[in-house]
Amino acid sequence: MAEIGKDIIKAKAILDAGELVGIPTETVYGLAGNALQADAVAKIFETKNRPSFDPLILHTSSLDKVYDFVLDVPEVLRELADAFWPGPLTLLLPRKSNVPDLVTSGLETVAVRIPSHPLTRSLLTSLDYPLAAPSANPFGYISPTQASHVNDQLGKKIQYILDGGLCEVGLESTIVGLEEGEVTVFRLGGLDLALIEHIVGPVQVMSHSSSNPKAPGLLKSHYAPSKPFILGDIEELVERYQQKGLDFAIMTFQQDLSHIAERNKIILSPRGDMKEAAKNLFSAMRILDSMDVSVILAELLPEEGLGKAINDRLRRAAVQE
Ligand code: TXA
Ligand code: MG
């Protein structure tokens, strides 16, 4: 398995050698490699089993450095960068030719983010190249929100995981770009849409179709546990599955179904706090997936604030059924 620790110098040495390191961010853990070295980028795709048509996000430590690999930051996106970087925001920007084609899957834009996690910021500050880092999970599975999640699934394939504790946000970054001049959200995420609209006014949200070639992260089945994950009215679902005599576990937003045994349920936020629910979501899904039951029953959150991004993940986790 991988070594887990807080040694930035060690992480830098591995990255400098063209190898990969698991890194913490405030959103989810990333599987990082030198973004400007095509061999290191190829290792990321191979390690994650990720199709090469799905482009990666570049992570760096300052806006100055962003200009090393993008041609320009359009004014309206610059306002978002000023407001939310470092933080859970990814911008799609016109790329320079030093960014390998493999990073962008041949697109003319490159996805860029300045993460806020202190350990990873220090690491990025010490590097003279950006890090390409997708979420550190096998393609299509639930994103990792703690070092042990990364180790469980990719520990045999990488040497080192930088341990930054639990991810504060727990949902991947919100991806924003321009589409025919309009500010467009390509993936809902850890930065609430309302905060974005507060800065730049109403934005369009890319619909979640499985055939959108511009953002394969919008593939319908994604973030999925390996067990059937069923969404609906939780009380109705429980009744139906009890009648069927099937063993199940449940995940609710805040309600406690007192007739369900503690060991078979997870409440994301008993006090009904969306941020807390987002932070707990992916680890809850992993725990449920490892329980000795045959299905997972869950409910959507109110469609407001971060609830929109959480529901997006829940719907795509559920598509397989
Ligand atoms: O919070 C995050 O964004 C995490 C942490 C590690 O930073 N990273 C992450 O990366 O979620 P990944 O690879 O799992 O998701 C990146 C998404 C993909 O859905 C990809 O399709 C989209 O970003 N993407 C990357 N470049 C793009 C581009 N040029 N145009 C449209 N979508 C792009
Ligand atoms: Mg991912």
Side-chain angles (χ1 to χ4, degrees):
M1 295 307 260
E3 184 186 339
I4 299 181
K6 295 183 189 297
D7 187 347
I8 290 174
I9 294 168
K10 178 159 191 166
K12 176 177 176 349
I14 295 169
L15 292 164
D16 284 349
E19 300 297 328
L20 311 183
V21 171
I23 59 163
T25 84
E26 69 280 19
T27 60
V28 300
Y29 274 71
L31 176 65
N34 181 344
L36 302 184
Q37 198 188 313
D39 282 356
V41 176
K43 281 180 194 157
I44 295 176
F45 282 92
E46 195 183 297
T47 305
K48 265 193 70 116
N49 227 338
R50 180 177 176 116
S52 61
F53 60 76
D54 195 1
L56 304 177
I57 298 174
L58 298 199
H59 298 68
T60 191
S61 56
S62 72
L63 196 55
D64 275 358
K65 286 192 184 173
V66 169
Y67 286 97
D68 293 345
F69 43 85
V70 312
L71 293 170
D72 164 45
V73 182
E75 180 57 34
V76 62
L77 298 184
R78 174 67 195 255
E79 285 174 35
L80 293 177
D82 289 340
F84 302 116
W85 276 348
L89 168 72
T90 292
L91 294 178
L92 301 180
L93 300 168
R95 66 147 162 170
K96 279 190 176 160
S97 56
N98 60 342
V99 179
D101 281 340
L102 195 51
V103 169
T104 64
S105 308
L107 296 173
E108 285 313 305
T109 55
V110 60
V112 183
R113 171 163 121 76
I114 301 181
S116 68
H117 194 291
L119 207 53
T120 288
R121 283 199 85 194
S122 312
L123 173 66
L124 288 167
T125 306
S126 75
L127 302 175
D128 54 13
Y129 47 85
L131 291 176
S135 52
N137 50 282
F139 184 71
Y141 194 67
I142 306 163
S143 295
T145 51
Q146 59 192 67
S148 66
H149 292 164
V150 182
N151 204 21
D152 287 346
Q153 290 187 300
L154 300 179
K156 288 194 181 127
K157 299 181 173 176
I158 58 177
Q159 293 173 52
Y160 196 67
I161 303 166
L162 203 53
D163 187 0
L166 299 181
C167 298
E168 253 329 288
V169 175
L171 287 177
E172 300 85 350
S173 60
T174 303
I175 302 181
V176 181
L178 294 179
E179 183 74 5
E180 284 160 11
E182 298 288 312
V183 180
T184 303
V185 170
F186 287 78
R187 176 178 72 183
L188 293 168
L191 179 65
D192 189 341
L193 201 59
L195 296 176
I196 292 174
E197 293 191 319
H198 184 73
I199 306 281
V200 297
V203 302
Q204 44 178 353
V205 179
M206 207 41 126
S207 73
H208 296 159
S209 100
S210 56
S211 58
N212 177 358
K214 284 220 172 114
L218 299 180
L219 288 174
K220 270 195 153 181
S221 175
H222 216 73
Y223 314 102
S226 48
K227 292 205 173 115
F229 185 81
I230 321 264
L231 276 179
D233 179 296
I234 195 73
E235 306 210 39
E236 269 175 38
L237 285 176
V238 164
E239 218 178 282
R240 181 144 44 97
Y241 278 79
Q242 270 170 343
Q243 274 168 11
K244 283 189 191 178
L246 271 176
D247 51 341
F248 56 81
I250 68 167
M251 183 171 84
T252 68
F253 172 36
Q254 67 175 129
Q255 65 174 322
D256 185 4
L257 301 190
S258 52
H259 55 292
I260 307 289
E262 292 299 329
R263 67 186 155 78
N264 285 335
K265 73 182 160 199
I266 296 185
I267 306 169
L268 291 175
S269 173
R271 61 192 155 98
D273 175 30
M274 299 277 192
K275 276 198 171 168
E276 184 181 39
K279 183 173 178 181
N280 290 333
L281 178 70
F282 288 147
S283 65
M285 284 169 67
R286 279 176 187 255
I287 293 168
L288 291 161
D289 206 18
S290 70
M291 283 180 183
D292 191 18
V293 294
S294 37
V295 289
I296 304 166
L297 309 179
E299 62 177 357
L300 291 171
L301 275 67
E303 197 73 29
E304 60 193 45
L306 282 181
K308 288 184 192 156
I310 295 172
N311 287 346
D312 166 79
R313 303 302 188 269
L314 292 175
R315 289 195 184 99
R316 276 184 284 151
V319 161
Q320 58 175 340
E321 245 287 301

